[in-house]
Amino acid sequence: MSPAGAETGDWVLLGKVAGPHGIRGEIKVYYDSGRPENFLGVREIFLSSGEDDVLVPHRIEKSRVQGRAVLLKLKGIASRNDA
């Protein structure tokens, strides 16, 4: 997947990545919507480091709610270090 710049349109912030979760490459996301189930139907997200305007697309393979966070398994991310 290639990076997409901010010029590709308007974006909606769904949450912030808190870090890796477990050893199989999941990431923990604290959602902003108040309804974690809103994440469960999403199949692709764009992540940014916040340091620049470059957004990188990622396919979501699996998602689940855990407490106040959503755990996402992204395609191509197989380990904690990758996450």
Side-chain angles (χ1 to χ4, degrees):
M1 287 184 248
S2 63
E7 71 277 1
T8 58
D10 295 328
W11 303 97
V12 175
L13 179 65
L14 294 177
K16 294 186 180 185
V17 176
H21 176 82
I23 60 169
R24 292 186 175 87
E26 289 180 306
I27 59 171
K28 180 184 279 192
V29 178
Y30 288 112
Y31 51 88
D32 287 344
S33 73
R35 302 192 77 199
E37 59 273 8
N38 289 346
F39 251 106
L40 301 182
V42 176
R43 292 286 146 229
E44 183 176 52
I45 59 172
F46 291 82
L47 299 177
S48 170
S49 68
E51 297 173 3
D52 50 36
D53 289 336
V54 176
L55 298 170
V56 180
H58 290 276
R59 281 297 236 181
I60 298 174
E61 291 183 342
K62 220 178 356 177
S63 59
R64 59 191 169 108
V65 176
Q66 184 182 55
R68 296 180 35 220
V70 177
L71 302 178
L72 302 177
K73 175 67 175 95
L74 305 177
K75 183 175 179 148
I77 307 295
S79 72
R80 183 176 183 88
N81 288 340
D82 293 342

